[in-house]
Amino acid sequence: MGLLRQVQSWLCLGLVAMALVSPPSITLAQEAAPAAETAAPAAETPAAAPATTEEKPAESSETPPPAAPSTKEAAADEGTPDSKLTFALNNVTLLICAVLVIFMQAGFAMLEAGLNPAKHTVNILCKNLMDFAIGVLLFFAVGYAIMYPDWSGVTTKVFDFNPDRIFAITAWDGATVLHPQVDFLFQVAFAATSATIVSGAVAGRMKFGAYLFYSAVITAFVYPISGSWKWGLGWLNDWGFHDFAGSCLVHAVGGFAGLAGAIVLGPRIGRFSNDGKSNPIPGHNMALATLGVFVLLIGWYGFNPGSQLAFANHVNTNIVMTVATNTTLAAAAGCCVSLAVAWVLFGKPDLSMALNGMLAGLVGITANCDCVTNVESLIIGSIAGVLVIAAMLLLENLKIDDPVGAWPVHGVCGAWGCIAAGIFGEGKNLTVQLIGTGVYCAWGFFTLLIVFVALKAIGQLRVTKEEELTGLDISEHGMHAYPADRS
Amino acid sequence: MGLLRQVQSWLCLGLVAMALVSPPSITLAQEAAPAAETAAPAAETPAAAPATTEEKPAESSETPPPAAPSTKEAAADEGTPDSKLTFALNNVTLLICAVLVIFMQAGFAMLEAGLNPAKHTVNILCKNLMDFAIGVLLFFAVGYAIMYPDWSGVTTKVFDFNPDRIFAITAWDGATVLHPQVDFLFQVAFAATSATIVSGAVAGRMKFGAYLFYSAVITAFVYPISGSWKWGLGWLNDWGFHDFAGSCLVHAVGGFAGLAGAIVLGPRIGRFSNDGKSNPIPGHNMALATLGVFVLLIGWYGFNPGSQLAFANHVNTNIVMTVATNTTLAAAAGCCVSLAVAWVLFGKPDLSMALNGMLAGLVGITANCDCVTNVESLIIGSIAGVLVIAAMLLLENLKIDDPVGAWPVHGVCGAWGCIAAGIFGEGKNLTVQLIGTGVYCAWGFFTLLIVFVALKAIGQLRVTKEEELTGLDISEHGMHAYPADRS
Amino acid sequence: MGLLRQVQSWLCLGLVAMALVSPPSITLAQEAAPAAETAAPAAETPAAAPATTEEKPAESSETPPPAAPSTKEAAADEGTPDSKLTFALNNVTLLICAVLVIFMQAGFAMLEAGLNPAKHTVNILCKNLMDFAIGVLLFFAVGYAIMYPDWSGVTTKVFDFNPDRIFAITAWDGATVLHPQVDFLFQVAFAATSATIVSGAVAGRMKFGAYLFYSAVITAFVYPISGSWKWGLGWLNDWGFHDFAGSCLVHAVGGFAGLAGAIVLGPRIGRFSNDGKSNPIPGHNMALATLGVFVLLIGWYGFNPGSQLAFANHVNTNIVMTVATNTTLAAAAGCCVSLAVAWVLFGKPDLSMALNGMLAGLVGITANCDCVTNVESLIIGSIAGVLVIAAMLLLENLKIDDPVGAWPVHGVCGAWGCIAAGIFGEGKNLTVQLIGTGVYCAWGFFTLLIVFVALKAIGQLRVTKEEELTGLDISEHGMHAYPADRS
Amino acid sequence: MKLIIAIIQPNRLEAVKDALTEVEVFRLTVVDCQGFGRQKGQLGIYRSQEPSVNLLRKVQLQIAVNEDFVEPTIQAIMSAARSGDKGQIGDGKIFVLPMDDCIRIRTGERGSDAI
Amino acid sequence: MKLIIAIIQPNRLEAVKDALTEVEVFRLTVVDCQGFGRQKGQLGIYRSQEPSVNLLRKVQLQIAVNEDFVEPTIQAIMSAARSGDKGQIGDGKIFVLPMDDCIRIRTGERGSDAI
Amino acid sequence: MKLIIAIIQPNRLEAVKDALTEVEVFRLTVVDCQGFGRQKGQLGIYRSQEPSVNLLRKVQLQIAVNEDFVEPTIQAIMSAARSGDKGQIGDGKIFVLPMDDCIRIRTGERGSDAI
Ligand SMILES: Nc1ncnc2c1ncn2[C@@H]1O[C@H](COP(=O)(O)OP(=O)(O)O)[C@@H](O)[C@H]1O
Ligand SMILES: Nc1ncnc2c1ncn2[C@@H]1O[C@H](COP(=O)(O)OP(=O)(O)O)[C@@H](O)[C@H]1O
Ligand SMILES: Nc1ncnc2c1ncn2[C@@H]1O[C@H](COP(=O)(O)OP(=O)(O)O)[C@@H](O)[C@H]1O
């Protein structure tokens, strides 16, 4: 393990170096630090200030449970009925949020299936089912250990792991604010999400085995490593980088990984004509796709509000409620703006753009929903609604085939979310946000680029032309998604 | 704004006057008042009586948070751990309920899509997505301000607004029982529901632009204005009108608005033959429709129990649990009775009637689920199950084409729900209930009648014959919902 | 009623006798008893021991609310804010869990519809809708009374009922930990589940009337009677039988009832050729089936964690969180193992097996999720993933046609779940587990066998050959699930 | 006996059926199909892109008729299947095929009686 | 060479396929179609209303055969496609069309060898 | 005038359409169909069982052409519809039917002008 650990460390460092073309240096980190310190109490909530004086500070995602500094204090009043209720309320609520996030898997599956031809449906469903199943197993095996190493105070490492969390969840010590079991559940749902995002970008042409492989790599290594830099209280957290619920950590990493996949795979047959014309391949079931987006919207109420990780005192409750409403406003704004822009540009109110616009708004608000106002949420969502269309047109021009728009939605708007936190978020440092965003985008892109190039090199990446034309359902899984009654 | 305010006020007054053909007068209002006073503590729950002596009264929907009289008392023990937990529990639970209500949008979308021909599917999905998105924006812009004006004590107005809530949600003052952000979220989900109900009645022939327009009018003005009369603590609340979760405020308003739309639009081509024969146009996907109903059923557990708005003391908990079970019993009864009646009358167990019967039961119990017994719920649901069939047959006879049965389900059973509150609800005044019901039905019908007639007058209401036959998907949105793989 | 009561009692005793071929006797019961006593506090949670000393013991499913021994103690601190919050938190959380379990109805409907030919879709949807609706009515009428009789201390009876619960839910006495209304709701959702499991096994050939009849019998009698033996604190509870959330009580009973149905009905036309070849009839919509499984997964987070029935103290919270994670791990393991085994055996990664594998893992962990470790959950789920394939192959060999695999998933893995509790569960007695499992499997199988044989005898069980070939949608319901646009 | 195959726009089906009823042609078979002809653009946009000209949804009528009915059937289809007054590109084609025999399955009748 | 087009009830497809196998007709093409004939009422009810007579689901078989096989094929279809003993309205039709040529794509064989 | 009916593998449709364009056949009609021939096993597995040989998805092209175009059309289809170099079982058939008349609905043109 020692070797792997070192190799990984160097790899990470290399990539990070690539991302940081302009030298950020120590100075910048110090600039950022004070901003970060004030971030938590300076959330936009008016009632927070007086409340905090008498309460322990919000156990926000800024300070994930395992390393929570308030552990001892919490332990002190362990036996009071109040603390038991607080514990129960926090954990039960987080469990419900975890369930909502897990539900997003269904949303992604339906959305991707609906936006692709019928002949790849079984493959898409199987991918989305398996990346959750495999994700759970691998995050339990190593991912959780990597994402939450024991880094109290040490911030120069980019990779480490907590040996107690290899194939195990640390037992509840009776003191931490969150129960480790539900913490794991919430985190694993996030890990599976980042894998599933990639799925859409590589739909319709990748071998099923290759899919399982990279999906395993993401949930076991790529996502946990970069996740540890922020939520594992690593170096980016130290710099004061802010990503409340994962615009970058989850979405941008997944979106840019998907971009790498789309580039390495190349477009589907017939997607771009020889004369260079773009020839979109419509999805086979818009009802399924729309259902998927509604399910994702619902799931986001677990994703964002749940990321506060604690609910039971005025500060937390206040933030959680604001987060929920901001999320809704950004989704609505993204949806309306995308529909309107598409209507003006292309002459028709295009449902597929409205759907992507809503997702764009949701992704865009994810990083900053805790530190912006309602009206700022509308602005952030609206801009996301424009960005998603611009990014799609860019992909068209570059002749990159991303069947569901994973990069425009999750990659671009994920990056936008963290940048918006720097622009609108009180006490957030824009430079740090830009650097952090760059790091995550580059990390997602380059790590998976390596994986996809390697798979391609050994001929295990893309199905044959014949198989692709026949459809992955028959060629990879030997079954139709919609057999006629008589067959 | 002053002018608009006045025009609106007069418009409302005019319509209300129309609805109240028999003079209700001051006397009646006074009759009703004492009944209303006793309503809250006299809920059917046996344990409520002893409990209330030591507790602050249930923060039921009777007294929505912003104007809650208990504000100061609550503020007094602001700092105690107990009050913080109460606050957290109430708001977190309401957030979950809001999420369930938002999920209903998916249910409505799937139900309407399933019950209509495939060629209108994209249009239906887009309508249901956009009425949520636009609803959120407009309710944030003005609807919330109109629905909850600052009317303490003043009840002669029919329209006003709270200027602090124009494009803003009042900040949490650290005292109110509900956090304004989650209150907004819960309310906006209701507003979107009332718009989406209309959608089903006008499916398959309305221009998309017209749809967006009236949908905006409903969520920005029609629903908030009439909503303010009751939930904004306006005149109907003062009279003691009871509508726990919105049988009238949400469903009847939406259902009667839909009726107006169906009448003004006229039936779809081919729906009634020239010789007067009724020729139903079957939905294209009963699986989607059934999924929609299941999702709506689930959403109703946010809609009804959540409408208590508070959960954290014995009185509230007691009511909330009773509400949930009553809702379930009425849904089951409506479903079984509708299936049975349809089976007897038409010779086959008709799934589409069972689905509508379940919804009928749900709508019927919505107004009164807090003040009837379990057995009464069965009765109310059963009667709703009969009413929905009778109303459908009536529409057939009148040659009004309501593709999904929005008026029978939401209009008729919504009215039934409020009347049933008068019949079965302890301490509810039947006369007041009848008047209030009449007011809401008339309000929904006539305001939208004006909108639809106006749209028709300027030729913006209905698509051409050619477009309708081709299907709104191609003619309005330029895309198929289910393109063949090869296209 | 007296007569019915006696007949039922004898019938039960007879069946139980059949199941217990090897004489268990008093001795064994005594062996088991001490194990059972220590079971609750000895759950795998490290923090449980110190915590329990100062708390009232976990109100686990071991001691369902109506007969909770802690009633008086709880009543003592009735008036404290703490107890009110505890009460609210427990009941609100259970309500949410009940909603999730009710959502499973949608999952079962979509799964069964998707895994069957299109021509039976309306029938399948109608069955799944109606077994919920009828189940609610009948469980309210008699089921709840039978399942929770007043058996404190008396354990020799196998059938009784609580007359206060005939067509009524006992009023909340202000003391019990759970509110009876939500307790009913949670339990009725379980009852409907056991009926709905059977549906899949008898799909495509049973008369709709026969379906309604047996569905009524299950929810009114079969499930409540056997349920009372354990959760009604009956004789199997006394023996120390452990079934946390119903692997046997719900799933095995349903699965074996389905097996009886599949055997008595015989296979669908064309399912096995005359020359004995197996000829699978593929489902018509794998997207629907996959959506169904995702919904079931989500619902299981109400099914398993909710079965703790209490959430608000450290012991309960601890168990609930562990249950949730164990459920997830088993589902993931079952899914991966099934896919892998099918891949190896049959050469393709078969989506339908992955789906069934996930369900198998979920069913398998249901009985024991409270008393095994995370790693044991992986093992239990993995074995379930193998068992489900083995059981399917067995059915093939026996030429029994179970269209969705209800017996392999719910019957076999349900039995496995309870046996696994005996193997892995701390303080659980394997012999008792084996006996209890045998009893439930036999009970489900033989009671329904009688029902199906009786229906067959009077010619009301199976549709005609012509009707089956045409499809039950047209022949039983007179409508297509997917009419072409023009019809 | 002839087999008349007509490929028409889906939204003209009802009108054509009515027109056929007027010339006493009561039996026909309908098949969904997709046409590749001179018409363009039915599939306007998808994700902001216009798909290249492609297969458009059409409906095919198959009508077995005796000789006397051939011309009335053709005229009926032609008049009812045209979009607008002058017709549009994409309105479709009628093919007339010779037919050797026709059998009614129910009775076993053959030839022109069975049509 | 003839092209035999048979329109039958969907639920008779399996029986017809078996009957064809017995007269050694192994190759055929199946097309979903909808028929408008004398049969009524397959679509019983929807939302409590009986839709007016309309297009009913049928299945079309297309079978290319050499002359010797024409009669056996017709007989096989007729016997297996009838509902009940005497047949019912809606049981369908068989059309026999002349065919000039047949080509097997795989080998390029033509004429009666390619059938 | 002939009506050419070609039954091909679905995944060859694009190639065949391109090939037809090259021989200047621009109009055609496509029908989904299912074939029962010598090919086996497209439906590999379902719930771990291999369904017995059954109807496999095919696509049917219907192309009305004037006599001159018959051979080029057949050649174009044959060359483009073959799987691999030598073709495989299941690649399909081409049937050539005589056609008496053709009418363009839009203009009312008849005969070979209307093709
Ligand atoms: N020669 C042909 N063979 C087969 N189908 C044809 C032929 N010509 C036209 N069609 C069918 O008729 C439809 C309408 O044809 P189109 O070319 O638009 O008509 P027009 O000849 O009036 O321009 C096409 O989409 C195609 O389905
Ligand atoms: N002349 C015809 N042309 C085309 N299709 C026909 C014709 N006659 C019958 N059919 C097809 O056969 C089906 C059965 O026809 P029907 O009129 O019910 O049979 P019958 O002649 O035995 O009364 C119809 O639904 C239709 O699809
Ligand atoms: N005689 C025939 N009549 C109708 N369709 C046929 C006939 N022969 C072949 N087909 C169609 O062509 C498809 C391919 O046929 P197949 O038997 O696999 O080809 P081959 O003759 O090259 O072995 C079949 O699935 C069927 O749809």
Side-chain angles (χ1 to χ4, degrees), chain B residues 83-107:
Chain B
S83 80
K84 282 183 229 158
L85 276 168
T86 304
F87 183 68
L89 181 63
N90 279 339
N91 285 283
V92 164
T93 306
L94 193 65
L95 174 57
I96 295 167
C97 290
V99 171
L100 288 174
V101 180
I102 292 172
F103 197 26
M104 290 173 77
Q105 295 289 324

Side-chain angles (χ1 to χ4, degrees), chain A residues 15-223:
Chain A
L15 283 164
V16 169
M18 283 175 70
L20 309 178
V21 210
S22 59
S25 85
I26 284 290
T27 336
L28 186 134
Q30 283 170 344
E31 261 168 49
E37 257 167 34
T38 57
E44 62 121 2
T45 64
T52 35
T53 57
E54 47 167 297
E55 284 163 350
K56 62 178 179 299
E59 294 82 31
S60 80
S61 64
E62 303 291 325
T63 54
S70 57
T71 292
K72 284 195 200 81
E73 185 192 347
D77 56 0
E78 215 270 70
T80 68
D82 181 39
S83 81
K84 283 183 228 159
L85 277 168
T86 304
F87 183 68
L89 182 63
N90 279 339
N91 285 282
V92 165
T93 306
L94 194 64
L95 174 56
I96 295 167
C97 290
V99 171
L100 288 174
V101 180
I102 292 172
F103 197 26
M104 289 174 77
Q105 294 289 325
F108 280 113
M110 297 302 119
L111 177 64
E112 185 184 346
L115 291 182
N116 276 284
K119 64 186 175 184
H120 305 315
T121 304
V122 167
N123 177 254
I124 289 168
L125 298 167
C126 208
K127 288 192 310 180
N128 279 276
L129 187 73
M130 295 317 298
D131 61 30
F132 175 71
I134 291 182
V136 166
L137 298 188
L138 285 176
F139 202 72
F140 180 70
V142 294
Y144 193 51
I146 294 173
M147 183 132 175
Y148 298 104
D150 213 350
W151 271 353
S152 348
V154 192
T155 55
T156 54
K157 288 195 194 166
V158 295
F159 172 77
D160 198 353
F161 62 88
N162 182 338
D164 296 351
R165 292 184 167 177
I166 298 287
F167 269 106
I169 298 169
T170 28
W172 181 55
D173 59 2
T176 54
V177 171
L178 283 187
H179 195 289
Q181 295 274 338
V182 74
D183 183 47
F184 168 80
L185 200 61
F186 191 69
Q187 303 301 346
V188 77
F190 276 60
T193 299
S194 76
T196 236
I197 287 167
V198 187
S199 178
V202 300
R205 53 215 198 274
M206 188 184 271
K207 284 187 189 229
F208 184 61
Y211 182 84
L212 294 186
F213 177 76
Y214 90 63
S215 165
V217 171
I218 288 191
T219 34
F221 300 108
V222 175
Y223 169 79

Side-chain angles (χ1 to χ4, degrees), chain D residues 27-29 62 64 104 106, chain E residues 35-38 58 90 93:
Chain D
R27 296 192 176 96
L28 53 92
T29 299
Q62 301 173 345
R104 168 169 290 136
R106 170 166 55 99
Chain E
F36 189 63
R38 274 180 45 208
K58 303 282 168 186
K93 292 275 168 73

Side-chain angles (χ1 to χ4, degrees), chain D residues 7 35-39 58 89-90 92-93 95, chain F residues 27-29 62-64 104 106 115:
Chain D
I7 295 148
F36 189 63
R38 276 181 43 209
Q39 183 193 8
K58 303 281 168 185
I89 292 185
K93 291 277 167 74
F95 305 138
Chain F
R27 295 192 176 97
L28 54 91
T29 299
Q62 301 172 345
I63 314 167
R104 168 170 289 135
R106 169 167 55 99
I115 290 284

Side-chain angles (χ1 to χ4, degrees), chain D residues 9 12 16 19 29 33 40 45 73 82 91 96 109 115:
Chain D
Q9 300 275 27
R12 311 308 304 168
V16 170
T29 299
C33 62
K40 294 198 175 211
I45 44 166
T73 302
R82 275 196 198 144
D91 281 352
V96 182
E109 282 163 285
I115 288 286

Side-chain angles (χ1 to χ4, degrees), chain B residues 178-196:
Chain B
L178 283 187
H179 196 290
Q181 296 274 337
V182 74
D183 183 49
F184 169 78
L185 201 61
F186 192 68
Q187 303 302 346
V188 77
F190 275 61
T193 300
S194 74
T196 236

